[in-house]
Amino acid sequence: MVKPVHRATLPITEPRRPAATPLDVRDARQPEPIQPLRPPEQAPNVLVILLDDMGFGASSPFGGPCRMPVADRLAGNGLRFSRFHTTAICSPTRASLLTGRNHHTVGMGGITEMATAFPGYNSQRPDSCATLPEILRLNGYSTAAFGKWHQTPQWETSRSGPFDRWPTGEGFERFYGFMGAETDHWSPSLHEGTTPIDTPDKPGYHLSEDLADRCIADIREQQAITPDKPFFAYLSFGALHTPLHVPRPYIDAYRGQFDHGWDEQRTRTLAKQKELGVVPADTELTPRPDSMPAWADKSDDERRLYARLMEAYAAMATHTDEQVGRVVDALENLEILDNTVVLYILGDNGAAAEAGLNGCVNHRTSLNQAPETVAEMLERLEDIGGPDSFASYPVPWAHAMNAPFQWTKQIASHWGGTRNGMIVHWPAGIDSASRGGIREQFTHVNDIAPTLLDVSDIPEPSMVNGVTQKPMEGASFAYALNDADASERHTTQYFEVFGNRGIYHDGWSACTKHGLPWMLLGETPRFTDDVWELYAPGDYAQANDVAAERPDKLRELQDLFLIEGAKYNVFPLDDRKAARTNAAASGRPHLAAGRDRVTLYPGMRHLGEGVVPDTKNRSWSATARIIVGEEPARGAIIAQGGRFGGWSLYLHEGRPAFTYNFLARASYDIESQDVLTPGEHELRYEFGYEGGGVGRGGTGRLLVDGKEVGGTRIERTIPFLYGYTSWMDIGRDEGAPVTDRYGTDRGAFTGGTIDHVVLATGDDAITDPRGEVEATLSVQ
């Protein structure tokens, strides 16, 4: 008789073994062998595929212009959920997906790089909210994650950990991908497990293709060894987040297909959506906001640029979908596709609007409030999509990709920020009569975890690893898989990001937009001055505001938002953006806090901005002790950032050199005239900040053995971010390099050794102060 397995408390208690046995094995009765842990019988495999920054109206299965034949195929044999919602921004959606809770409940009210000290925003998932992969692993699933991981607190991303909020600490037995908001798809910053690894040296390498390769290989290996053991694979692409990186043939296939512009595209998309039945026949197209220009008002040069940026976005969608197809084909070849629940989530929020009204060829310029001009971008038109660009499209294209809804990513108040297409493919669990259908029940990303537990016949645990669990806040939508007419069970849901907030209840939605996604600086209105809107049941696109006609219903929903917000750690509301990139201003930990200098050693790499002294908006220095041989030494000594913004102290053909790369728009170079003689030397770079605000200039000096060998005036500096995953390396410059002058592969230091480098900040960091130093960041 098989004893029942009690799964409410995890780990599952091991069966008791015989306490006493005879002395001689020949006299002993053979005990029953220990059975490996397995989930309940018939528990399916699970593959969750998550795309980044794709709006509801972008993909072909939901009426959009981006051709995604694999998504179309899965939808045709599965289900399309037309009222599925995310949180409106990256980290919160991912945290909610993997825990089944609201994003503020698990401390993820914003992205990890902007965490604060408040419980709803500290980016620290409490142990009382165990993750889905951990629950599945403790129930006998194999688990693995590939791609973007944007949930680890920034100050926990070094080798010092702790690692319990890394993928392998949150239930995934294997991880291959990148830590942070974005990475260069041609030259990504990668980790395997918790170890930083080299960018693969492969001609034509692209991250999305690599992630698919890794996912396929892992599933094949797992199934070859334990075919009776189901798996949970989380394939989280960096696409379609900035940067738009895609092989040229995919862009060429879209040439000229967006010349009609964003206004016409929204009209075409809505017509296609109605034809497909993914929106009701009476859906109205919401107007373009006054803050976004009309296509007709743009010049020919502007249209040429904007169309190319949109071509790159659509091309990346098609390219990524092709990689999904390779994974799906592998499952089919293994004959396990039918009993694999495939959740293909087309975006972790609405299409992104951070690039500004003109878009960008280097997104770091947008993040640092130093936008490129149209003329500058036109000079680099042919770079778009390739390794010399870090591009993203203009705000109105993002708005068009969210058709028929209002607004974009970050605007959690409106469906343009939160409604995304989702496809569920599971032949073993979806009746043949239901396949190809559309499900209109309200669903939310926090429903994913309870749904997958439901279909696996695994109970939501009350205790995990000795910690009593908070109940999941989502609701399983398994009831709707084979019943299109079933009443929805997720009837109330709040939304909030950067003060943009909304509430859904029994078909009604109330919302208020607080700020614009592309504005990182400046004053924002008081929360009490925000104007609320109200939309009635049946108004699919939130097109007709009835707040004036139903003030009673509006007040009811506003009060409900306050109740839900208090329940789930939403308060205090925080609309700061640029200021929250600074740890001291936001109140989050910083590993270099209280230290104005740190000694770094060769081999240290992937050091994030949250773990080393901050060299922005202040004076600083880097002092290296090196030993060179007879041959001219080359390569990076210390580098921070990369091709699209950063700095490097290095040797060029044996000569000490320094480059400050201002957002790939200006390169400030200093180089000694003399080649270093063999032996020990001290190289030192000093920057004296002029003060007077953020992103200001100053004077850089290069010294060799205490003697100044060169200097230059740097007109502007990077104020907020070198980059989300363009980290600091010692003895190399991994990924897309700060400069092309190293003369070695990946900037590897050759022809000598580095003993150590001292990175120092503040007045005491320099020997020749130039002007007043301001080390504080006081921006809104």
Side-chain angles (χ1 to χ4, degrees), residues 496-519:
E496 191 281 332
V497 167
F498 291 134
N500 301 301
R501 51 208 190 275
I503 183 79
Y504 172 85
H505 181 66
D506 289 341
W508 290 86
S509 60
C511 50
T512 181
K513 180 188 68 65
H514 181 72
L516 295 172
W518 57 95
M519 300 299 293

Side-chain angles (χ1 to χ4, degrees), residues 186-498:
W186 301 113
S187 302
S189 300
L190 294 172
H191 282 80
E192 186 156 15
T194 60
T195 303
I197 62 172
D198 291 348
T199 301
D201 187 12
K202 176 182 176 182
Y205 173 89
H206 191 283
L207 176 60
S208 296
E209 298 170 10
D210 186 16
L211 296 178
D213 288 343
R214 287 290 187 134
C215 185
I216 292 167
D218 186 74
I219 291 172
R220 284 173 173 166
E221 180 180 357
Q222 187 270 345
Q223 286 291 292
I225 297 171
T226 50
D228 64 323
K229 186 176 185 180
F231 62 81
F232 172 51
Y234 176 54
L235 179 55
S236 175
F237 289 97
L240 300 153
H241 196 289
T242 308
L244 302 180
H245 280 162
V246 61
R248 181 65 59 182
Y250 292 85
I251 299 179
D252 291 342
Y254 277 99
R255 288 293 167 88
Q257 295 184 25
F258 295 101
D259 292 351
H260 52 268
W262 44 67
D263 293 312
E264 173 63 20
Q265 183 59 58
R266 296 185 77 235
T267 300
R268 294 183 185 185
T269 296
L270 179 57
K272 185 64 174 178
Q273 290 170 334
K274 290 180 178 180
E275 177 187 329
L276 292 172
V278 293
V279 305
D282 61 355
T283 299
E284 298 179 40
L285 187 64
T286 57
R288 173 176 33 79
D290 292 338
S291 56
M292 301 180 195
W295 181 263
D297 293 338
K298 308 314 292 182
S299 69
D300 289 344
D301 278 347
E302 289 171 322
R303 292 178 186 178
R304 187 158 57 96
L305 170 65
Y306 302 156
R308 181 64 58 83
L309 289 167
M310 183 58 213
E311 290 164 5
Y313 179 87
M316 198 175 197
T318 300
H319 177 258
T320 309
D321 185 69
E322 186 175 291
Q323 311 319 310
V324 172
R326 294 172 51 229
V327 178
V328 171
D329 289 346
L331 297 180
E332 194 164 28
N333 291 336
L334 291 169
E335 299 182 348
I336 58 174
L337 180 60
D338 280 0
N339 197 34
T340 298
V341 178
V342 179
L343 296 182
Y344 195 173
I345 304 172
L346 303 173
D348 57 354
N349 40 246
E354 290 92 348
L357 296 175
N358 286 324
C360 58
V361 175
N362 177 9
H363 192 227
R364 304 287 163 75
T365 63
S366 302
L367 293 176
N368 287 286
Q369 295 293 280
E372 303 152 287
T373 66
V374 170
E376 287 177 311
M377 289 188 278
L378 281 172
E379 291 179 357
R380 301 179 59 195
L381 195 67
E382 294 306 316
D383 289 341
I384 291 172
D388 292 325
S389 73
F390 213 88
S392 188
Y393 57 9
V395 169
W397 273 126
H399 181 237
M401 293 303 100
N402 298 323
F405 308 115
Q406 301 182 58
W407 297 109
T408 64
K409 175 184 175 181
Q410 292 191 29
I411 307 299
S413 51
H414 292 73
W415 298 152
T418 63
R419 186 163 288 177
N420 289 89
M422 180 177 69
I423 296 166
V424 180
H425 182 273
W426 183 28
I430 300 174
D431 296 340
S432 58
S434 296
R435 296 174 198 167
I438 296 169
R439 294 296 179 264
E440 298 176 351
Q441 291 86 352
F442 183 96
T443 47
H444 188 269
V445 67
N446 60 21
D447 298 335
I448 298 292
T451 300
L452 293 175
L453 292 180
D454 190 359
V455 301
S456 302
D457 198 24
I458 293 174
E460 182 183 332
S462 58
M463 183 173 289
V464 177
N465 296 323
V467 180
T468 300
Q469 294 297 292
K470 292 181 179 179
M472 290 186 179
E473 292 149 5
S476 170
F477 55 76
Y479 70 91
L481 295 182
N482 292 304
D483 188 352
D485 299 322
S487 298
E488 65 186 39
R489 298 182 184 178
H490 194 139
T491 57
T492 302
Q493 180 62 48
Y494 81 90
F495 298 88
E496 191 281 332
V497 167
F498 291 134

